[in-house]
Amino acid sequence: EVDLVESGGGLVQAGGSLRLACVVSRFPLGDIFDHYAVGWFHQGPGKLPERVSTIIVEDGTTYYADSVKGRYTISSDGAKNTVYLQMNVLKPEDTGVYSCAAAGPYRVVPRPPPDGEFRRWGQGTQVTVSS
């Protein structure tokens, strides 16, 4: 099964920006990056993870939670098997651990996949937004 590794977290002031990266590797034989959907999940202090954005890798279709629409942008680079999350106009409530997770492999990708389909997770990266 695939492995995912996040990077790019850190400490930023409110109103600032960060870009997270999620590298996907170790595809099973016959599978490729395009067979997956990748989601970014935010877990605030004392809260359950919430999916904030999803990308369907094969065609770049994107989805966003209302809380991040207009501020976050998800994208992918097929040559690098990497999904990015550009986070702008950060708020203190965006603080938490951000994890990427993969759903798939699919022949026909659900649009979007339900949360339960995201079975492979990275270790997470901490984002702290100071007021």
Side-chain angles (χ1 to χ4, degrees), residues 10-19 70-72 85-92 94 98 127-131:
L11 173 64
V12 64
Q13 288 188 328
S17 298
L18 283 174
R19 189 176 81 153
R71 300 190 298 123
Y72 289 13
L85 186 68
Q86 177 68 43
M87 306 187 294
N88 298 328
V89 195
L90 282 162
K91 305 174 182 180
D94 296 322
Y98 284 76
V127 170
T128 302
V129 184
S130 63
S131 57

Side-chain angles (χ1 to χ4, degrees), residues 31-126:
D31 277 328
I32 59 175
F33 193 37
D34 279 9
H35 292 169
Y36 291 83
V38 176
W40 281 100
F41 291 76
H42 167 230
Q43 186 170 17
K47 298 183 179 180
L48 294 173
E50 173 198 14
R51 185 163 31 142
V52 295
S53 189
T54 309
I55 189 165
I56 308 297
V57 176
E58 66 177 357
D59 64 6
T61 301
T62 59
Y63 302 89
Y64 297 95
D66 288 343
S67 59
V68 305
K69 277 181 183 175
R71 300 190 298 123
Y72 289 13
T73 302
I74 191 170
S75 62
S76 66
D77 183 338
K80 297 180 179 179
N81 293 339
T82 300
V83 172
Y84 301 98
L85 186 68
Q86 177 68 43
M87 306 187 294
N88 298 328
V89 195
L90 282 162
K91 305 174 182 180
E93 53 263 44
D94 296 322
T95 292
V97 177
Y98 284 76
S99 302
C100 61
Y106 297 109
R107 294 299 176 257
V108 179
V109 182
R111 294 175 179 270
D115 284 353
E117 292 284 305
F118 290 88
R119 298 188 182 95
R120 297 294 298 174
W121 289 70
Q123 82 286 354
T125 185
Q126 175 71 39

